[in-house]
Amino acid sequence: MVPLAVAATIGMLFIILGVSEYMRLVITAAGVKDAMESAVVSTMNDNYNEVYHGVREGYAAGYEPDGEDFAAAVDYGDIYGRLCFLLGLEEDGEGYVRFNNDGEREYRISGLSVDIPNTALASEGGTYYADASVRLEVPVRFGGKTVSDLSINLKVRAAYKEKF
């Protein structure tokens, strides 16, 4: 009976370790995605001064007056800078890394891609939005050792919508 109890305890321990590691990965990915959403929304808010001229004409697009005409004006902002501020990241070659208190890598962010398609001037309407994606790499640990890296693409969309 004792070996069976020990085996059941060890089995339950493995299950608990697996579930806790899964939850750590989910929480980390959710936190990075929330920070990314905040950074992209801030970038869209920074585009307000370019969008205003179109909104007053009934459509949302990034243009500004240029003499007798309008010129396309889109502000891509500093999304990496905002992510570094929100998440406490450090630059590391081609990406940014977050370290824990022990100096171990918590996750790595790289490959930021931002697309802000501009609605045509004087169009019937449409949404002025920004799509951003980033590569997130989180080390998977089990039993105190790094097994491999979880690597996923996080995608975020923020849209500008006029209130009035």
Side-chain angles (χ1 to χ4, degrees):
M1 210 52 187
V2 172
L4 183 60
V6 169
T9 303
I10 291 173
M12 289 300 292
L13 180 63
F14 280 135
I15 291 171
I16 290 170
L17 287 174
V19 169
S20 66
E21 182 63 17
Y22 172 78
M23 293 306 295
R24 185 185 71 83
L25 295 173
V26 168
I27 290 169
T28 300
V32 171
K33 186 170 184 177
D34 288 346
M36 190 116 156
E37 286 175 351
S38 176
V40 173
V41 166
S42 294
T43 298
M44 287 308 293
N45 287 340
D46 290 348
N47 276 300
Y48 170 75
N49 57 340
E50 285 86 11
V51 175
Y52 170 73
H53 303 288
V55 169
R56 72 178 184 189
E57 300 297 326
Y59 59 92
Y63 293 93
E64 62 185 4
D66 183 27
E68 295 292 319
D69 203 9
F70 283 89
V74 176
D75 181 9
Y76 283 83
D78 184 16
I79 294 178
Y80 263 142
R82 291 176 192 203
L83 284 174
C84 288
F85 173 74
L86 292 170
L87 298 172
L89 302 175
E90 299 176 17
E91 191 170 359
D92 178 42
E94 296 177 9
Y96 292 84
V97 178
R98 163 88 186 224
F99 294 102
N100 62 16
N101 294 338
D102 297 331
E104 295 176 333
R105 179 174 61 104
E106 277 190 46
Y107 53 85
R108 183 175 192 275
I109 295 174
S110 62
L112 176 66
S113 168
V114 181
D115 181 33
I116 305 177
N118 206 358
T119 307
L121 189 62
S123 67
E124 291 294 319
T127 305
Y128 186 62
Y129 63 91
D131 285 330
S133 65
V134 73
R135 188 87 174 150
L136 173 66
E137 297 171 8
V138 185
V140 178
R141 296 182 179 100
F142 191 78
K145 296 182 181 178
T146 301
V147 179
S148 68
D149 280 351
L150 168 71
S151 186
I152 58 173
N153 286 325
L154 295 177
K155 296 180 182 179
V156 174
R157 173 176 277 190
Y160 180 87
K161 182 163 174 104
E162 64 276 1
K163 271 191 158 179
F164 305 103

